[in-house]
Amino acid sequence: MESVIIILAGILVMIATYLFLSRNLIRIILGSALLSHAVHLLLMAMGGLKKGGPPLLGEELKTYTDALPQALILTAIVINFAVTAIFLVLAYRTYQKTGTDNLNALRGFKDE
Amino acid sequence: MLTINLAIFIPFLAAIFIPFINNRFKQTHIGWFILVVPVVLFIALLRFIPTIARGETYINSSQWIPSYGIEFTTYLDGLSMIFGLLITGIGSLVILYSIYYLSTKESLTHFYIYLLLFMGAMLGVIFSDNLMALYVFWELTSISSFLLIAFWYHRKQSRYGAKKSLLITVSGGFAMLASFIMIYAMTGTLSIREIASSIDSISDHALFIPALILLLIGAFTKSAQFPFHIWLPDAMEAPTPVSAYLHSATMVKAGIYLVARFTPIFGGGDLWFWLVSGVGIITLFVGSFFAVKQTDLKALLAYSTVSQLGMIMSMLGFGSAALHAGYSPKSVVYTQAVFAALFHLVNHSTFKGALFMVIGIIDLQMGTRDIRRLGGLISLMPVSFTIAMIGSFSMAGLPPFNGFLSKEMFFTSALNVSNLDIFSLNTWGTLFSVIAWGASVFTFVYCMIIVFKTFFGEYKGRHHENKQFEPPIGMLISPIILGLFVVGIFFFPNLVGKYLIYPALGHIFPSMTLQLDAYSITAWHGFNTELMMTIAIVLVGGFLYLTLHRWRGVYRLFPETRSFDAVYNHSLSGMEKGSAKLTKLYMTGFLRDYLVYIYLFLVAVTGGVFIYTGAFSFDLSQDSPVSSYEWIFVVIILTAGFAILFAKSRLTAILLNGVIGFSIAFFFVLFRAPDLALTQTIIETVTTVLFLLCFYFLPEWKKESSPPSSKITNMLISVAVGLIFIVIGLSVNSGNLFEQVSLFFEDADELAGGNNIVNAILGDFRAFDTMLEVVVLFIGGIGVYSILKLKKWKGEENIEGD
């Protein structure tokens, strides 16, 4: 299971990288969303999968899955959300101001 | 008693007070107050002469950075004494001269602050015993010289000259610093005296040769030796007192001092001998040869300074042979070369200082210093003529002036060198005498140019309207005093020899017992080869001078475009252009290019390290089994992911992204992570809404119009990045290094009073993370709000320029 998830995350990284290299602002933001998904999956897989019950003590289980990666991912999800929000608003303002979402056109001073 | 440590700081202290004094006494020329400083120092140094002549030395030490062995130690011995007297003595005369030379309309406070800064730094260079203190003062001389050359900073040529001299001397200073560090690495001490005593143990060290070469680069750049001499003629844009002081008498001799000071450390080997004497003799010839070509009197004097410094340098090189030969009655003749070098050092300072001052007077009175526009001044400026004649004839090596004595001694040492049977000198040594003689012929020619082209011939009065020709007497005092020294040293050379130069020799050749009798100078020493050489110089030089117009064309063989100046200019502009080109090459301004660099670096480094260390390992035995549910979601995510790449509309893309996000939430359910599943679901929903909101304002999704080649590059890069991610992930997953730490958190009930372990970690065990995460969210919210709300930029200038 872990290997499958890691390969899946790797493929997501591949897609995200391809999106990053494009010229369109929205594609890049989508890429960053996909990249964060991949990283969350990797974190999860590294902690070991399905090696016990959910980390809730009331369940009276012998073993629990590793709770630490879950806490880390939870933090990462929230931070990633904040960053994505900023990105999106920035993209909106950029388009409003410059009238384009093509990165090649957003190159600053022309004769520099 | 005044210690040398304090003496060095007197000029610096005085420099601080200059602005206050200037404000207080606006009527008086500020130079009169400054004059006190070098005069007092000169008199204080004079009092040491008798004890120094007996061979005593004075050491004063004070702490500076003791933890690094850097102390501020001063060492007054015979060698530093000569330089100390030159700096303070000629410093006094130059300041006296500058009082009359510079009008009160100039920014005098700046001038004298820089000059005092230079004087203190120069005293620091020659008295410092600690290498690091020496280096600090050395750079301070470069900086103050830079400031003085660019004193008239509104002139383009001044700024050019100042930049050039700074670049060259500071590069040399860096080389010297590297050499000092190597010396420290070899000997473990920074004190020159201790290094000199421990030198026998390091001469086989691997760093010995690099340290030697780097030290000489420092000395050669400062002393304007070939091919670093190019800065000196351009430094002539400085006011004439500065040229007289820095660029003939003191700063350019710092390199000479360095070579003399390090002769007991590095001297004795053939590399030192060949580098010092070889570079010196080449500089001597090149300087004198090109001096003849100059039409500007100051440029001519600059080349003559270069040439004379080369002569002193070559004599120091000849003298180092004595350290190789060891003490014997025979090797005394080589120590005489160093004696001659120091003697000529003193002589050169006197006559070159006088010559610069006279030319400054001519420049000021006639408004030009171009030889082609001068002439017939002998009857108009008799005093200046007399001084110029004394100085020039002394430089040419004619009796009865001190230059004659040092030139004869120079020839003696050059002739002696060819008798030496070490360093394969018996084959090549004769070249030294031949080049020395040839250079002296050119020296004679340009000295005659100074005297005869300026003061004789037709008076070209129409070029100016000045009726009062001879300058005020105050301006003439300094050159007259120097001129008197030029003549005086000729008649009483042994006074200088006994009290100044002989004490210094003992420090250059510490291992030898030297008899004073061997170094007495006689003005008349019979008809020998040296005298014949001088007579031949006068004859050939006179002939060359008279036929100058016939062979001047020879200089066309050395056009400006192929000189070392051109090399300097080209390399400077070439470096500028090259770096601009290089920067333009990779800094394209396109985000994609930078991302490509980052990804290529990532792939190369991580992939390279991975292959290099052979860290691949795949171990599937620890994996938990995969159920059919999970396969379904894997397939869903993969399909959605690839579909994003081919999505025609942005709405499709965003929905596919949502599909991936919700599938991952499902995975979290399968992986027994209820909190994660909850959060992921909510966040994914909100993100999708945000995307959709944003899209409302953004233009339609356009088809990627990049060329297929860059699409292929993108694909290759992304595949490589993904593969590396997978390979590293799998390999890390296969190697279980140690047990997990999470068992500790399973006591959450006891430790934190909570049943939900994840929440206990977030809110109790690792609550600091959570707090800052909240801050991130908060800042994100403020950011979103302000980006949307701030309208101020609407009134701003449109920086895109469209």
Side-chain angles (χ1 to χ4, degrees), chain B residues 365-397:
Chain B
Q365 301 298 96
M366 311 299 292
T368 179
R369 40 174 216 253
D370 193 324
I371 301 174
R372 291 166 296 189
R373 298 169 64 187
L374 291 168
L377 296 178
I378 180 164
S379 54
L380 302 167
M381 304 167 89
V383 183
S384 309
F385 164 70
T386 314
I387 302 162
M389 191 198 70
I390 291 173
S392 306
F393 283 10
S394 176
M395 186 154 70

Side-chain angles (χ1 to χ4, degrees), chain B residues 42 85-86 89-97 244-245 248-249 346-358 386-388 390-391 394 401-402 475-490:
Chain B
F42 184 68
L85 286 175
L86 283 181
I90 295 186
S92 316
L93 296 175
V94 161
I95 287 175
L96 179 66
Y97 175 79
Y245 188 39
S248 71
V346 176
N347 293 346
H348 177 251
S349 300
T350 55
F351 65 67
K352 193 53 67 67
L355 278 175
F356 265 113
M357 288 175 185
V358 169
T386 314
I387 302 162
I390 291 173
S394 176
F401 308 110
N402 57 9
M475 217 162 170
L476 286 168
I477 293 173
S478 303
I480 286 173
I481 293 174
L482 287 172
L484 287 177
F485 267 106
V486 171
V487 182
I489 293 175
F490 177 79

Side-chain angles (χ1 to χ4, degrees), chain A residues 1 3 57 66 74 93 107, chain B residues 588 623-624 742 755 762 793:
Chain A
M1 183 77 221
S3 305
L57 291 175
D66 199 337
L74 201 61
R93 276 316 298 229
R107 215 180 134 236
Chain B
T588 54
D623 274 17
S624 41
S742 295
N755 282 337
L762 286 173
W793 56 28

Side-chain angles (χ1 to χ4, degrees), chain A residues 23 102-107, chain B residues 586-597:
Chain A
R23 291 182 191 171
N102 186 338
L103 277 168
N104 284 10
L106 292 172
R107 215 180 134 236
Chain B
Y586 72 91
M587 290 197 46
T588 54
F590 294 117
L591 179 69
R592 176 183 172 267
D593 292 346
Y594 304 140
L595 285 171
V596 167
Y597 305 150

Side-chain angles (χ1 to χ4, degrees), chain A residues 18-74:
Chain A
Y18 190 82
L19 288 173
F20 271 138
L21 292 172
S22 87
R23 291 182 191 171
N24 189 296
L25 209 50
I26 294 300
R27 276 178 195 265
I28 289 174
I29 299 172
L30 266 176
S32 82
L34 281 185
L35 189 67
S36 69
H37 290 323
V39 171
H40 299 160
L41 281 181
L42 180 77
L43 274 173
M44 200 71 208
M46 286 295 164
L49 298 174
K50 302 201 293 185
K51 297 265 166 68
L56 300 169
L57 291 175
E59 299 279 318
E60 301 290 335
L61 292 162
K62 284 267 165 57
T63 56
Y64 303 95
T65 47
D66 199 337
L68 195 57
Q70 298 192 10
L72 295 180
I73 294 168
L74 201 61

